[in-house]
Amino acid sequence: IGVGLVGFGLFFILFGILLYFDSVLLAFGNILFLSGLVFIIGFRRTFTFFFQRPKLKGSSFFLGGVLIVLMRWPILGMLLEAYGFITLFR
């Protein structure tokens, strides 16, 4: 279930980008991606992954970008998410 949710989340994010940053598709993709991540590794591990002290900057940018996309500012939100994703997995 988790891998399917992550796959659909990535599909909706890619489709939202291809349709000129459609905020509804991007928001739906972000929600599916994060819920799939929770299903794959569990709630506790997801929480500890995002809120470790060295990864706090990347997590705040990534989750802040998700919130910005949910508030219908898709381009700024995706830029923040991309920076947070790069900072998280550096």
Side-chain angles (χ1 to χ4, degrees):
I1 293 175
V3 174
L5 287 174
V6 168
F8 277 119
L10 292 176
F11 170 75
F12 278 110
I13 289 172
L14 178 67
F15 199 56
I17 290 172
L18 289 175
L19 290 176
Y20 301 112
F21 291 97
D22 183 31
S23 61
V24 174
L25 290 173
L26 291 173
F28 193 60
N30 284 331
I31 291 169
L32 285 175
F33 179 77
L34 289 175
S35 63
L37 190 65
V38 169
F39 269 99
I40 290 174
I41 64 175
F43 184 75
R44 182 171 293 167
R45 285 187 180 173
T46 304
F47 185 79
T48 57
F49 172 76
F50 278 109
F51 295 108
Q52 294 175 2
R53 184 164 298 276
K55 296 181 180 184
L56 201 56
K57 179 182 176 184
S59 298
S60 62
F61 273 101
F62 183 76
L63 296 175
V66 170
L67 288 176
I68 296 294
V69 167
L70 289 174
M71 292 174 19
R72 301 209 182 229
W73 289 67
I75 296 173
L76 179 63
M78 289 305 289
L79 287 174
L80 288 174
E81 281 183 40
Y83 177 73
F85 187 80
I86 291 169
T87 306
L88 269 174
F89 296 105
R90 186 181 297 176

